Amino acid sequence: MADGKLGEGSAVALRASPSAAAMARGLRGGSNPLEEWSARVKAIEARFRGWMAKQPIHIEAAVSTAVGAVQGGALGGLMGSLTADGGSPFPMPQPPPNANPEAMASLKQAQALAGGPLVQARNFAVMTGANAGISCVMRRIRGQEDIQGSMVAAFGSGALFSIVSGMGTPNPVANAITTGAAFAVFQGGFFMIGQKFSKPPTEDTYYSRTRSMLHQLGLEKYEKNFKKGLLTDQTLPLLTDSALRDVKIPPGPRLLILDQIKRDPELVRAE
């Protein structure tokens, strides 16, 4: 008798505890925590990009430059710490006073490419920050991310990298132009290769609000059901339980989707 009451109390406690319910769902084969975490990160990234798109061009460019500089500085510091010179307690030997300009230029290039962590962090921060900022400005001006904007950003970042790192002595201006042009050519080539091998589906533009809603609800795996039934963003105000059932979405997710549409006016706004 006591065992029966104990078992009944445990069942009530499990039903009343949200964490226990979540654990039970996980034991019954619920969603993968790694997938949920990845979906949340993507949703945060999408919201951040949406916020950035609403800002003036100078704010978006400044934020993009800062983020790119931090990423490049971290990468450059890591690369500098792995080089022999970066880990050596002895400084790099200085050139003799009577060294010819060509030797000086070669030494400056070697120092720029094999400096210590701080030097590499500075060089890469300037390069990646300038690339991100110029790319942002070009995207705003041209209205899209194309090969011309990508090459302009690469030219600017390459030229600044050459100037800041000290490459090109005794003619830094000419070398900055040459380095920028080389960066632009490589970036243009990579951009064309990327366009050739990665063709984003054009129909995804018709499911942007639907995709955002499903990510917020943790139901992103049903995006393919919406696409199979051609339930685009324009059909969100018209969605019914039977329409969602026809595309084989289970009852629980159907209720969550319909409730979200009722509570969020942005989902049913006119185009």
Side-chain angles (χ1 to χ4, degrees), residues 221-240:
K221 65 180 180 180
Y222 294 112
E223 182 180 345
K224 61 181 182 297
N225 300 67
F226 275 78
K227 291 181 178 180
K228 184 178 294 186
L230 299 179
L231 299 177
T232 64
D233 291 344
Q234 294 181 347
T235 66
L236 288 178
L238 309 174
L239 279 185
T240 61

Side-chain angles (χ1 to χ4, degrees), residues 181-247:
F183 273 53
V185 171
F186 279 112
Q187 183 69 17
F190 287 132
F191 189 92
M192 294 179 64
I193 293 174
Q195 277 191 328
K196 182 177 181 180
F197 289 98
S198 61
K199 297 180 179 180
T202 55
E203 71 272 8
D204 280 357
T205 57
Y206 300 104
Y207 299 92
S208 58
R209 281 181 284 156
T210 300
R211 186 182 305 109
S212 177
M213 175 191 66
L214 294 175
H215 277 300
Q216 291 178 6
L217 297 174
L219 302 175
E220 57 275 358
K221 65 180 180 180
Y222 294 112
E223 182 180 345
K224 61 181 182 297
N225 300 67
F226 275 78
K227 291 181 178 180
K228 184 178 294 186
L230 299 179
L231 299 177
T232 64
D233 291 344
Q234 294 181 347
T235 66
L236 288 178
L238 309 174
L239 279 185
T240 61
D241 184 79
S242 60
L244 295 175
R245 185 172 59 249
D246 289 342
V247 294

Side-chain angles (χ1 to χ4, degrees), residues 25-26 29-44 211 214-224:
R25 287 195 300 269
S31 58
N32 189 342
L34 183 60
E35 293 180 356
E36 292 182 358
W37 180 83
S38 177
R40 290 176 182 176
V41 171
K42 291 180 180 179
I44 294 174
R211 186 182 305 109
L214 294 175
H215 277 300
Q216 291 178 6
L217 297 174
L219 302 175
E220 57 275 358
K221 65 180 180 180
Y222 294 112
E223 182 180 345
K224 61 181 182 297

